Structures are given as C-alpha cells and as structure tokens.
Amino acid sequence: MAAVDELAAVAARVAGEDAVQVGSTAVCGVVPAIVVAPESVAAVSETLRWAHGRRLAVVPTGAGTKLEWGGVPRRIDLLLSLGRLDAVVAHRHGDLTATVQAGAPLGRVNELLRREGQWLPLDPAYAARATIGGIVATNDAGPRRHRHGAPRELILGVTFVRADGAIASAGGIVVKNVAGYDLSRLLTGSFGALGVVVQATFKLSPLPPASRTVVAAGLNSGTIEGAIRAVMASQLTPSALEVQGPPFALLARFETVQEASERQAEEVAALWRGCGAADTRVLTGAAETERWTAHHDAVWGREDDVCRIGLLPDQLPGLLEEFAGLLRHHGVDGQLAGRVETGALHARIGSDAAASQSIVDRLRLRVEGGGGHVVVLRGSPALRAKVGPWGAMGDAARVMDAVKRRFDPEGILSQGRWPFAEGRA
Amino acid sequence: MNIDERFLRALRDIVGESGLIDGVADRITYESDALTHLRAVPGVVVLPVSVPQVQEVVRLCHSAGVPFVARGHGTGLSGGALPVEDGVLIVLTRLDRILDIDAPNRRMTVQPGVTNLEISRRAAPFGLYYAPDPSSQQVCSIGGNVAENSGGAHCLKYGFTVHHVLGLELVMPDGALVRLGGPVPDTPGFDLVGALVGSEGTLGIVTEVVLRLLRLPEDVRTLLAAFPSTDAAGAAVSGIIAAGIIPAAVEMMDRLTIEAAEAAVHPNFPQAEAVLIVELDGQRAEVDALFRRVESVCREAGASEVRVAADAEERARFWTGRKAAFAAMGRVSPDYYVQDGVIPRTKLSEVLRRIRALAGRSGLRIGNVFHAGDGNLHPLICYDGAVVGQAALAADVGGEILQYCVEVGGSITGEHGVGADKAAHMPKMFSEVDLDTMQRLRCAFDPSGLCNPQKIFPTPRLCGEVPGPYRAHPAERAGLAERF
Ligand SMILES: Cc1cc2nc3c(=O)[nH]c(=O)nc-3n(C[C@H](O)[C@H](O)[C@H](O)COP(=O)(O)OP(=O)(O)OC[C@H]3O[C@@H](n4cnc5c(N)ncnc54)[C@H](O)[C@@H]3O)c2cc1C
C-alpha cells in the first residue's frame, strides 16, 4: 500500500494533482495500482517519460469499452486514461477531414461533424461511448466496414507518445500522402503496445441522404448460401451486408439518395424472396435504427465471451452451420454477427470457460486451414490462458517482436497484450 | 564490402549466367528510374526467376555486407530504384506470374513483376478488376505499386494501393521469408502490411502480393467540363463534394497541359483555361441521380461547355488525354520535371496563384495536372537541360512548390514517393523525433541498413543492438516497491 501511495504522490507531481487516482476496477482480473488522467499531450509525455525511467507497466485506456480485449495484462502499475484529451481539434469540412483527440467519444465526434452533413463512418462496438483512441488501437469496425472500411482505411495521420515519452507524428491531414513510413496504420490495431495515440486525423464521408435496410429472417443454411451468392453476384451497392444468428438472418443496408436506396432495397428483397427467404422485410426510420441496435446488442449486449473471426467469404455458410451446432451441443445461448463480404465476424459464445474453450478450438480448426483466425477478444483469464487469445501468428510474429522491441525497448506498454518481446520489465 | 570476383561468382551460382548482368554497358541501362536526372550505375544487376533465388541473393548480400536495391519496371518518379554503385540491383521483372485467381472470394495472388494493368485484364473475365490505376499502369509493376503505395485517378472513391493489398510475402533484409497478412482480413498482430505498403523498398523485397478485387461497376458516366479559370474548375470540385457526392474520379488539367495533350494524342479537348474530367460509377439508379447533380454543379460554377461521354470510346478518349499528360509535356518543352505534392483541396486557388507567380518569377513555364478530388498536384516544370543552370533552377522551383504544399498543411508527395529525390525535403514535414521514430521501424526490419539505403530519410540512423530480452535486476524481482 505504501508503495502505491508513493507511486501516486510521484505521479501527482508529474501529471498534476487532479490527474491521479488510487484504485480502479480490475482489467481482466489485474488491478491497476493507480490511474493517471493527464490533461494535455505534454502531460502524457511527461507521465510516460517518468514511467519509462522507472519501468512502470503502463496500459492506455479511453472509455474502457475494449480494455479487456486481447491478451491479459501481466501487471498494471499505471492505467493511463486519455479521457481528458477529448477535443475535436479541427473539422475541415471542405476537405472532408477531421482531427480528433484520442479521448473523444465517437458519438460526440459525430454529433459535431453532423452539423456540416458529414461523419466519421465507423460503427464499432459501443459506438457512442467508444473513444477515438480505443477504436484506433483495436481497429474495431462494424457493419459499415463493408463500404467504408475499418479504421485503418480511414486514418490519415497520427500523433502518439512513445514509450519513452517522446511525441511523434506520422502521416498528415490530407487524404493522399506517402511521405515517410505509414506509422498511422502500424499503430492502428496495435492495442496500445507500440505507443499511446493522443490524436488522429481521418477521412470523413458525407452523411447519406436516405437509408433502407432489408432483413431476411429465419434462414436455413441452404437458403442463406443462395441468398448471399445472389446479392454478391448482383450489381447492388449496399453500405452494409450482414449475417446474424442463430436463427440466421441477413441484413442489407442501402444508404444513398432516396430513389436509389428504395429501388435497391426492393431489388434485394425480391432477390432474397426468390431464394426462398419468405420472411423478408424492408425497414426504414425508427424500425430500421432499432433493428441495427438489436444487431449490435446480439453480440455486445451481454458480458459474455466474444471472439473475432476472420475467414474467406466462401467459408461462411459452413461456419454458420458449425457455429449453430456448437451452441446446441454445449447448450450455450450465443450469437454471431458479421460482414458477409469482408469475412470479418464477431461471435458471442456464452461464458462457460469449458464450453468456450471447446468452441474456440473447434472454430479454429475449421477456419485456420483456409488462412482464417479466431481471436478471443473478451473472455475469462482462464479461457485466454488455455486457448491463447490470438491464435497462430506464423512467421510474421518474429518481425512483430522486433518492431515491439524497437518501439518499446523497456517493454512498459500494454505488457501481455501480445506474445511479443516477453520477459522484460 | 565491395563487389569482387568471389562475390560475383557466388551470385552467378545463384541466378545463373542469364540472370546476371555485369558488363558496364548493360548496367548503364539501369542507372535511373523514370526520374532520369538521378543516376548511379549499379555494381551488378541480377534478375532472379524464383523466390528462393531472391532469398539467396539477399542472404549473400547480407552476409557480405553489400547493399542492394529492388527494382520493378523502373517507372518510379522519385529515384526510389536508384541503384547503389557498390551494390546489387535486384530486378523483379522475371517474377511475373499470376499465382491464383480466387473469383468467389475476389482475391488474386500475384508475383511482384506482374504489371498493374495485367491484373485487371486477368480479372475481367470474372467481372472483377483491380481498382488502383496509376497512369503508368500498362508498364509499372505491382511490386513497385506496393512499394510506393501508388494511386491513380480512381483512388478518390476506391482508395490507394494500401486499401487493396491484403497480404504480402517478403524476403527480409537478412534473407528470411515471412508472410504478412493474408487473404483473410484482420490477421492477428500488428498491421505490417499497412506499414510495408509505401515503404519504398526499404524494408525488404516483396515476392508475392495478395490483392482484393472489386466487381466491375454496373454503370460508368463521364463528363468533360471546360472552365474559364482553374479557380472556377476548383469551385466546381468543391461544389461536387459539398453536394455529398464522391465521384470515382475528378481530374483537372490547365491550359498548358491541355495544349500538350492535344499536340501529343489529340483527345479533342475544348480550348479552355481548365478542364475537369468527372467520372461517376456504381449502381445505375444512383449514378443517374448524382450525375445530373454533377452536371448542374459544373454549369453553376461557370463551365463554358459540358461534354458527356456518349460511349466507352469517347470515355477512353477523355482518359487518353489525361493519362498522356506527363509524357505529352515533351511536345511543348525539351525537358520537364514532374512534381508531386498534396494540398487540402480547399487551398487549391491559393496554391495555384502562388505557383503562377513562381512561374513568372523563375521564367519557367509550369503546367498543372492534378487528381483534383484528392488535392494531389502534379506541377510539370518545363526547362531546357541544354541551358546552363536551368535543370538546377527547375529543381529549386519544384522544392519551392513543395514548401507551399507544406505551408497549407499538405504533403511533399501524394503518390510518387520520397525516394532519393525528396529525402532532403522530409524535415519540411517531420520533426527529428518523427523521423527517428520512423527509422525504428526500419531498424526492426533492416538493422544493418543494407536494403535500399539512402532513400526516404535525410540522415540514416544507426540502429545499434537489437534490444534483447530484459533481465530483471535481482532487487526488482523482490517486488513492486523496489521499482519506484
Ligand atoms: C508516365 C508516368 C505516369 C505515372 N503515373 C502515376 C500515377 O498516376 N500514380 C502513381 O502513383 N504513380 C505514377 N507513376 C509512378 C510509377 O509508375 C509508380 O511509382 C510505380 O508504382 C512504380 O512501379 P515500378 O514497377 O516501375 O517500380 P520501380 O520504379 O522499379 O521501383 C519503385 C520503388 O519500388 C521498389 N520496388 C520495386 N519492386 C519492389 C519489390 N518487389 N519489393 C520491394 N520493393 C520494390 C523500388 O526499390 C523503388 O523504391 C507514373 C510514372 C510515369 C513514368
């Protein structure tokens, strides 16, 4: 305890009296010694410089919606909150770009951008609360990824604080730029292991004038395969094309000018009915919004174990069947939701460690042969210890290890998130 | 180390007689890329035909301490493939096979020497294509595209090379072979594919590329609009974006480049201070609705003429005029220097005004073609190499234009890369810490600094020891308290 008090006292001198808090909820069962929430980029830099000198284990955090994802932190001396760095620094609407601080919640950012008829077209898990920094660090994306891509597709530049406290930038504020290495993308999806993102610039999109969603419900594995094929072979241009279940439903969203949105919705509805999807409806307005909220909550609405699955799109129908079978076999109430054409899915698999372990093993067996993967985002430390959160990483792991050592030679950032550069600090 | 007889023999053992060029007259062919004023004759040139050959060549260089440079088709415009005089130039044009076309999953796996256009050509029977379309697409290699993160006219809507590369096979600078990413998205781990694309051949040699293909759009509509000034054309671009429309392409040419294109390929462009080519593609109902809006935005912005391509042939003619613009400068000037800078689109008139003033001051004519939607300028600086001092003046003028770009928040390169040409300009955009941080990535891949050295960075960084595993001090192992 004395040690923690001393740590807090020093942290207060470094980051400011009001920036330090002792005690916090545990992260994957690991209790952070102190929480530091600096009020400026300079203070983040000072804090890291100090932590680096003392080899303190640091884990950056925003709203904490994805703090549990990935490997279990080995130790947290300092939970570094970016929550006070929450400004929208610039919205250059004529250029369709915005620069935002890491702690700004996406919901609030988009409220501001909306004033000019634009938005940052990301719909990650917990989209309203999730902060820009956390979204970048996890490269988390939702249904609109189909059209707009994941954060790595939209990021133009980044400013981050290195493990040693130095403030570095890469990329810029223009949509096209190949000067220097693309550290923005390197940082995106690095789960806070290479640097602490304090600010990022993104390409924006105009808000779509109209939206329609077509839902085909109650599909069996036969009809679902046909229905997916039909829409992929068509000339329709949805902004999202999702599967959810079991029982499985397909969702296609059309966000464009009114006429095109209506016409495409009708077209896909007819296609799907032709494939035997009897229960196919076109939604708009509040009913549409509600359906997408339900889609999000199907996976994220409970505190269950959640995996991220990547696979080739043509492996999807087989996976759906196996997933439903596994849930039945283990008597688990789970749900899967994901991008049909991208091959990026999220699966909630209950919270029974033994069942989860078996499900993850079986899913890995199915997809890894085809180059796919199953990552445990959320799950008990026991589950993660058993199955390994990331799965096989192949020969690239060696290079990632080297990158980690160069960016964080003392190994203070997000220890344990990744199996790289272990055995330090 | 220098290249000696023993080294050459070892190289020959790897690539065979037909894969090695060591005669000086032949080596001179490779002294530059398309930025011809930067030249260096490579010590030796190899043309491997297999990945194991690439690996062995690199391994040999690594153990002998000989620098090496990868080269694709040599169309780069920043001296990225500029050889090292005492080094090996590894030419990848013979690795030119399409390895796999997975039409159901819209993926293609290719070797680095395949040309950009060939990919789309081979995808076309499946109703698919590869989106990034540099003007040099008939001749540039996908390996070069990956290295430069190349763009093209249609990148406004569809993104750049980095948005379409899913996986890479890489020969590391020590000769090891690794796979980064893959056909499936979100491969666990750091986004090394994202970091590799655009790294200009400094992190290793790409030997295989997994690409994402797109479905050919249902409808494509193209118009050519003539404007009384570049400002008016710029206002039309802003108007289109403000209307919430993201065209597939928006390209602008000014009077000088229109004249040059007309002289070279006769696209029959209208006589005007500026023309815009605007292309929309996608689903028919959507394209219909938006195209009408684009036409009226152009007219409101003062277009004196709006031509809509009646058919594929007329569309192709519009694009021939645009894509020939660089080469066409040869018709109006003995020499020209292609500059590549980026500005926020809204700063277009301000920057063009400064460029015009600069042209007047320097006495050099400057043509402008740009990817107007992206704010990516390509000033074409005309000079006469035979006049003493003009080449140097052109380079200075180019540097000054980059300064303008940076001053308004832009970039010193949008698609051609930093290479050897712009390394000295990097500090205009990045601090010493920024550059040092980037070089940490380089050190992770290439601690001995042999892979395409002297590119990108104004001052190379010595990497030092690879930080080894940290061993805790015994006192530390005692517990948390000891470390404070
Ligand atoms: C007329 C003309 C028009 C152009 N238009 C455009 C345009 O519209 N958009 C655009 O972006 N560019 C354009 N370019 C520039 C050029 O075509 C691109 O940069 C292209 O990607 C270079 O490909 P290349 O095969 O010629 O590469 P090279 O010039 O041979 O090499 C370029 C760089 O790539 C590296 N490299 C090559 N192959 C590999 C490999 N396998 N592994 C690792 N590194 C490798 C080299 O070391 C070098 O740094 C144009 C050039 C010309 C001459």
Side-chain angles (χ1 to χ4, degrees):
Chain A
M1 208 52 222
V4 169
D5 287 344
E6 194 202 332
L7 183 61
V10 183
R13 277 204 299 279
V14 175
E17 208 59 61
D18 59 342
V20 180
Q21 182 194 316
V22 174
S24 147
T25 47
V27 178
C28 309
V30 180
V31 181
I34 59 169
V35 183
V36 179
E39 63 161 358
S40 68
V41 173
V44 174
S45 161
E46 282 309 312
T47 304
L48 276 165
R49 203 181 302 280
W50 164 66
H52 192 251
R54 306 286 178 95
R55 295 213 184 91
L56 301 179
V58 178
V59 172
T61 180
T65 62
K66 300 167 182 94
L67 194 50
E68 307 258 325
W69 292 12
V72 176
R74 266 204 313 280
R75 196 179 86 223
I76 308 175
D77 299 327
L78 208 154
L79 190 64
L80 181 60
S81 167
L82 282 298
R84 291 165 81 190
L85 294 176
D86 64 350
V88 172
V89 178
H91 178 196
R92 305 169 204 89
H93 56 89
D95 298 312
L96 276 171
T97 64
T99 301
V100 190
Q101 284 190 315
L106 178 63
R108 238 200 44 233
V109 171
N110 272 331
E111 261 166 49
L112 279 168
L113 304 180
R114 181 181 300 276
R115 293 182 193 164
E116 301 290 344
Q118 298 178 355
W119 72 310
L120 176 55
L122 291 171
D123 48 8
Y126 314 105
R129 277 189 298 139
T131 62
I132 296 300
I135 292 167
V136 168
T138 55
N139 192 33
D140 186 37
R144 258 78 157 245
R145 177 175 185 173
H146 177 85
R147 171 172 293 166
H148 298 284
R152 64 117 40 203
E153 265 74 47
L154 300 171
I155 195 162
L156 302 174
V158 71
T159 300
F160 63 101
V161 181
R162 290 193 326 208
D164 63 2
I167 302 168
S169 294
I173 62 162
V174 283
V175 295
K176 199 169 181 185
N177 177 11
V178 296
Y181 291 148
D182 193 345
L183 301 185
S184 311
R185 287 195 171 81
L186 184 68
L187 269 281
T188 303
S190 67
F191 281 77
L194 298 178
V196 176
V197 174
V198 290
Q199 182 171 303
T201 299
F202 300 92
K203 184 176 163 166
L204 307 177
S205 279
L207 279 170
S211 177
R212 294 284 182 286
T213 296
V214 184
V215 185
L219 305 176
N220 64 40
S221 57
T223 42
I224 212 162
E225 186 164 5
I228 290 175
R229 274 227 194 101
V231 72
M232 284 187 52
S234 77
Q235 282 291 350
L236 299 163
T237 53
S239 56
L241 182 59
E242 291 279 303
V243 63
Q244 187 205 314
F248 290 107
L250 285 175
L251 295 88
R253 187 169 202 163
F254 297 95
E255 294 176 291
T256 172
V257 289
Q258 180 90 22
E259 192 191 328
S261 154
E262 279 170 12
R263 198 176 306 169
Q264 294 196 74
E266 288 309 326
E267 225 172 286
V268 81
L271 263 185
W272 283 352
R273 286 192 194 105
C275 296
D279 180 9
T280 295
R281 278 173 300 157
V282 179
L283 306 177
T284 188
E288 185 185 16
T289 310
E290 228 167 79
R291 183 63 189 82
W292 284 107
T293 306
H295 183 71
H296 171 272
D297 291 350
V299 170
W300 304 110
R302 293 195 204 167
E303 293 293 309
D304 285 353
D305 302 347
V306 173
C307 307
R308 195 185 75 199
I309 303 171
L311 82 181
L312 285 172
D314 69 352
Q315 298 181 318
L316 180 64
L319 178 102
L320 296 179
E321 203 164 328
E322 171 138 14
F323 183 69
L326 286 170
L327 295 182
R328 261 197 318 274
H329 176 78
H330 291 283
V332 167
D333 164 36
Q335 278 280 300
L336 168 154
R339 272 88 285 158
V340 167
E341 203 183 289
T342 318
L345 315 169
H346 290 109
R348 180 171 60 77
I349 56 172
S351 55
D352 177 84
S356 291
Q357 184 189 341
S358 159
I359 292 172
V360 170
D361 283 343
R362 290 290 297 276
L363 293 177
R364 279 188 178 154
L365 211 57
R366 171 167 276 276
V367 302
E368 280 181 351
H373 53 262
V374 177
V375 169
V376 178
L377 291 181
R378 208 159 66 188
S380 61
L383 170 67
R384 283 184 269 197
K386 282 241 170 64
V387 299
W390 302 105
M393 284 199 247
D395 43 22
R398 175 199 145 201
V399 191
M400 294 174 193
D401 190 272
V403 171
K404 170 71 175 166
R405 286 173 200 276
R406 291 290 176 180
F407 277 76
D408 182 15
E410 300 291 348
I412 67 163
L413 287 175
S414 300
Q415 296 177 1
R417 279 285 189 238
W418 298 102
F420 308 137
E422 290 293 298
R424 292 175 300 155
Chain B
M1 193 199 99
N2 285 343
I3 295 174
D4 56 16
E5 270 314 311
R6 235 180 71 209
F7 184 84
L8 283 178
R9 221 176 307 123
L11 269 186
R12 201 172 270 117
D13 284 345
I14 299 168
V15 294
E17 201 57 56
S18 62
L20 186 128
I21 296 173
D22 64 346
V24 72
D26 295 324
R27 279 185 283 131
I28 285 179
T29 329
Y30 294 94
E31 67 180 349
S32 78
D33 57 14
L35 188 74
T36 51
H37 68 259
L38 296 182
R39 291 177 210 160
V41 179
V44 58
V45 180
V46 292
L47 295 108
V49 295
S50 71
V51 178
Q53 283 189 358
V54 177
Q55 266 187 285
E56 282 198 49
V57 169
V58 171
R59 235 182 253 135
L60 180 67
C61 291
H62 182 252
S63 60
V66 172
F68 55 94
V69 176
R71 176 178 163 119
H73 285 285
T75 69
L77 286 168
S78 56
L82 180 71
V84 176
E85 276 171 2
D86 296 326
V88 179
L89 187 71
I90 305 176
V91 180
L92 295 143
T93 49
R94 291 184 184 173
L95 288 177
D96 62 351
R97 282 186 302 140
I98 305 260
L99 299 174
D100 181 47
I101 303 177
D102 178 0
N105 291 309
R106 296 188 184 148
R107 310 280 198 266
M108 197 187 293
T109 306
V110 302
Q111 289 192 316
V114 173
T115 62
N116 174 295
L117 194 61
E118 178 71 3
I119 296 163
S120 286
R121 218 180 53 74
R122 292 289 294 275
F126 304 95
L128 303 172
Y129 77 112
Y130 176 65
D133 60 337
S135 303
S136 51
Q137 67 186 147
Q138 299 194 9
V139 283
C140 64
S141 73
I142 190 68
N145 290 180
V146 168
E148 303 290 6
N149 189 15
S150 300
H154 290 81
C155 290
L156 175 59
K157 179 169 172 183
Y158 294 106
F160 314 104
T161 303
V162 71
H163 298 112
H164 301 273
V165 172
L166 292 165
L168 297 170
E169 181 188 77
L170 184 78
V171 173
M172 296 280 293
D174 65 0
L177 193 70
V178 295
R179 281 196 166 274
L180 310 177
V184 170
D186 306 327
T187 316
F190 303 142
D191 186 0
L192 297 184
V193 171
L196 237 294
V197 176
S199 61
E200 306 194 27
T202 61
L203 302 181
I205 298 187
V206 172
T207 49
E208 200 177 297
V209 191
V210 185
L211 299 165
R212 192 165 78 94
L213 303 173
L214 300 185
R215 191 184 45 217
L216 285 160
E218 178 177 31
D219 200 9
V220 184
R221 306 280 294 279
T222 314
L223 65 73
L224 181 81
F227 292 88
S229 66
T230 48
D231 279 2
V237 178
S238 296
I240 292 167
I241 303 291
I245 301 170
I246 308 289
V250 182
E251 299 284 305
M252 196 193 297
M253 295 168 70
D254 72 355
R255 172 175 282 282
L256 185 57
T257 51
I258 297 167
E259 277 171 18
E262 206 53 56
V265 293
H266 323 296
N268 191 28
F269 283 178
Q271 293 258 335
E273 286 303 314
V275 297
L276 277 187
I277 299 174
V278 186
E279 189 160 285
L280 299 190
D281 70 8
Q283 200 267 337
R284 188 158 288 131
E286 182 177 287
V287 172
D288 267 349
L290 298 180
F291 198 72
R292 283 194 300 272
R293 298 256 291 281
V294 169
E295 274 186 81
S296 62
V297 169
C298 286
R299 288 187 210 284
E300 279 158 30
S304 55
E305 187 183 342
V306 177
R307 280 188 210 163
V308 177
D311 48 29
E313 206 177 305
E314 191 169 9
R315 171 178 319 116
R317 203 157 54 239
F318 291 176
W319 282 115
T320 306
R322 164 60 187 88
K323 293 200 174 181
F326 291 1
M329 290 314 278
R331 297 298 184 112
V332 298
S333 173
D335 298 289
Y336 63 96
Y337 177 44
V338 180
Q339 192 45 286
D340 167 42
V342 188
I343 56 171
R345 187 176 37 233
T346 47
K347 308 288 186 195
L348 193 64
S349 9
E350 175 187 337
V351 172
L352 286 183
R353 207 169 309 124
R354 292 184 77 181
I355 292 176
R356 267 194 301 273
L358 177 64
R361 229 176 23 246
S362 65
L364 299 183
R365 287 183 301 162
I366 303 176
N368 282 293
V369 279
F370 16 83
H371 306 299
D374 294 324
N376 187 187
L377 311 181
H378 288 313
L380 301 162
I381 303 159
C382 300
Y383 69 96
D384 184 348
V387 176
V388 177
Q390 272 214 354
L393 179 62
D396 288 348
V397 163
E400 181 143 357
I401 293 174
L402 295 184
Q403 184 63 39
Y404 301 164
C405 292
V406 173
E407 280 170 17
V408 295
S411 170
I412 60 168
T413 171
E415 56 183 17
H416 295 168
V418 176
D421 189 35
K422 293 184 176 174
H425 295 295
M426 285 289 276
K428 289 190 165 111
M429 270 183 86
F430 297 109
S431 72
E432 229 166 89
V433 175
D434 299 341
L435 295 172
D436 168 78
T437 308
M438 289 177 190
Q439 298 214 57
R440 288 174 179 226
L441 183 68
R442 182 178 170 108
C443 290
F445 278 81
D446 181 24
S448 39
L450 293 172
C451 184
N452 207 6
Q454 291 147 30
K455 309 289 164 68
I456 305 180
F457 300 102
T459 24
R461 177 188 204 269
L462 290 178
C463 293
E465 282 290 291
V466 181
Y470 170 74
R471 270 186 295 277
H473 190 271
E476 256 177 50
R477 276 193 233 116
L480 190 77
E482 266 73 19
R483 274 176 295 98
F484 301 149

